[in-house]
Amino acid sequence: MFSFLTAPQFANNRALLAAISCAAVCGIVFGLSMPLISLRLEHMTGSGLVVGLNGAALALSTLAIAPLVPRLMALAPARILLIGVLIAAAALFALFPLMPAVTPWFILRFAVGCFITVVFVISETWINQIVTPQRRAFMLGVYGTALAGGFGIGGLMFAAFSTAGDLPFYLASGVFLLGIGPVALLNSPQAVAPAREDASMDAIIDAAKSAPAAILAGLAFGAIETLTFSMLPVYADRISLDPVSIGMMVLAVAMGVLVFQIPLGWIADRTGRRVTLLAIAAIATLGPVLIGLAGTSLGLLIPILFIQSGVASGLYTVGLSLLGERFTGGRIAAANAAFIFAYGLGSLLSPPAAGVAMDGFGPSGLLVVLAITAGAYLLFLALTHRKAARRS
């Protein structure tokens, strides 16, 4: 135990633990705060529009801050940045119950989203820089599993406390502060800062152009994840499923995300990340079709959603590993910023598209948007894979 904390040969493992701890912390806060803030706003305003717009503030914060993170990393050590943003996020969460009004909550949600985005970009860059190529996707799968597991823990914490009280907000603050420990105390190499020329907006755009398969994986996953968690309960309600069945469907989705990411990372490291992404995109395209065919049969919906959501979650972690395969050192920061930006864009644009489709075509409109999103990415991968094969 003590040798792990001090021995030089475990330095990279300590860095991995610190970065993965950041994911777990953010997952816990997400799982606790997302339903908490939404329900409190619902009670405060009675407006679904206000609740939806407040959720959009989180996605907008990702778009606003992600391109700036490489520049921040060039200005200050990554470890100091992580500690600073975790402290700032903790302080902001403590302000929610002190300012129970709509406008301050929009500002706080946006600001907290900015800080969390900084954590994601730095921690994912950190992992990609220090893992060996042979286990890159596997370790990013561990990272994704920690994030998903944290989300589940946060959901359990939300269920355990009344939404009317202020204690959950202070618990979220405490979770952020706990995340500082591994980052500050574990002696390990920190994330390599990008050179000044690699921290510019041009560098981020160039990274996106150089690795479109990876960046578009982030876009597709942002859309699919957001639609699954935010719109699937609406779909289930419109096909006349009861609340217990809807809860079981959501649980199946969450468990799929938790279970599949490490095995998919292991497969990607051995068969190739691009080939694995092709298989993931194919299953993600077929899944919505099978969901529609399952109708209201819970016995069919549960395993389909478990597999569909779990496999689709690999778009994020395998896509990230493809970035690490394409870029090295400080240049990964710009690529990761582009990836997170694409994720935020997918998260922002997909719910309105699905809402319009469901209003126009009924509940199946959600499935159409999910299938088109995954199918478009699958088509892009297939075409680029064929072109690469011809050139070789």
Side-chain angles (χ1 to χ4, degrees):
M1 175 64 180
F2 290 107
S3 63
F4 175 82
L5 296 175
T6 58
Q9 64 267 32
F10 296 124
N12 281 355
N13 289 335
R14 291 193 292 271
L16 285 172
L17 179 60
I20 291 170
S21 297
C22 289
V25 162
C26 290
I28 292 171
V29 174
F30 271 138
L32 171 61
S33 67
M34 289 177 72
L36 173 67
I37 293 173
S38 295
L39 288 176
R40 288 288 288 269
L41 279 171
E42 171 70 16
H43 296 157
M44 287 162 57
T45 66
S47 170
L49 177 62
V50 170
V51 175
L53 290 175
N54 188 267
L58 195 61
L60 287 172
S61 67
T62 300
L63 299 178
I65 198 66
L68 302 179
V69 179
R71 188 159 297 182
L72 292 175
M73 292 178 67
L75 294 175
R79 199 184 304 273
I80 299 300
L81 283 173
L82 283 173
I83 294 171
V85 297
L86 287 170
I87 291 173
L92 289 181
F93 252 98
L95 295 179
F96 274 94
L98 302 179
M99 297 188 292
V102 172
T103 299
W105 278 31
F106 268 82
I107 297 170
L108 289 172
R109 193 81 181 271
F110 180 85
V112 169
C114 288
F115 292 133
I116 290 177
T117 299
V118 174
V119 174
F120 280 137
V121 174
I122 294 177
S123 59
E124 290 165 6
T125 298
W126 200 1
I127 294 172
N128 250 329
Q129 288 175 342
I130 62 177
V131 295
T132 60
Q134 294 77 16
R135 62 172 188 158
R136 175 172 281 118
F138 175 81
M139 289 310 305
L140 285 165
V142 174
Y143 169 86
T145 301
L147 178 60
F151 195 95
I153 292 171
L156 291 174
M157 292 172 66
F158 169 76
F161 297 97
S162 170
T163 60
D166 295 334
L167 179 60
F169 291 103
Y170 300 124
L171 284 174
S173 293
V175 170
F176 274 129
L177 294 177
L178 284 175
I180 294 172
V183 176
L185 301 178
L186 292 179
N187 182 24
S188 61
Q190 62 181 342
V192 178
R196 179 168 298 183
E197 62 272 15
D198 292 328
S200 66
M201 184 62 69
D202 287 341
I204 294 173
I205 294 172
D206 288 343
K209 291 178 179 178
S210 299
I215 301 303
L216 291 176
L219 179 71
F221 178 73
I224 291 170
E225 180 195 46
T226 302
L227 290 179
T228 302
F229 279 106
S230 66
M231 303 298 288
L232 183 65
V234 179
Y235 168 83
D237 181 69
R238 290 192 181 186
I239 63 172
S240 302
L241 291 176
D242 59 84
V244 174
S245 297
I246 295 173
M248 292 178 67
M249 291 171 64
V250 173
L251 177 62
V253 169
M255 290 305 297
V257 174
L258 187 64
V259 167
F260 271 83
Q261 295 199 51
I262 291 177
L264 285 172
W266 184 86
I267 291 169
D269 284 335
R270 282 152 182 78
T271 64
R273 284 108 195 191
R274 189 178 289 270
V275 172
T276 304
L277 282 173
L278 269 167
I280 290 171
I283 294 171
T285 303
L286 178 62
V289 178
L290 296 178
I291 292 170
L293 293 175
T296 59
S297 172
L298 203 63
L300 293 175
L301 284 171
I302 294 301
I304 291 171
L305 285 169
F306 175 77
I307 295 171
Q308 154 77 10
S309 60
V311 173
S313 69
L315 289 170
Y316 192 88
T317 48
V318 179
L320 275 176
S321 70
L322 196 60
L323 282 184
E325 186 179 296
R326 177 67 179 78
F327 300 95
T328 58
R331 295 183 64 212
I332 295 178
N336 209 105
F339 186 90
I340 296 294
F341 183 91
Y343 168 85
L345 190 62
S347 300
L348 182 65
L349 297 180
S350 57
V356 170
M358 292 177 77
D359 288 341
F361 302 104
S364 61
L366 170 64
L367 306 181
V368 171
V369 174
L370 282 169
I372 288 176
T373 300
Y377 181 60
L378 174 63
L379 179 61
F380 171 82
L381 284 176
L383 291 175
T384 53
H385 187 70
R386 178 177 293 183
K387 288 179 181 178
R390 285 176 178 173
R391 285 197 297 268
S392 61

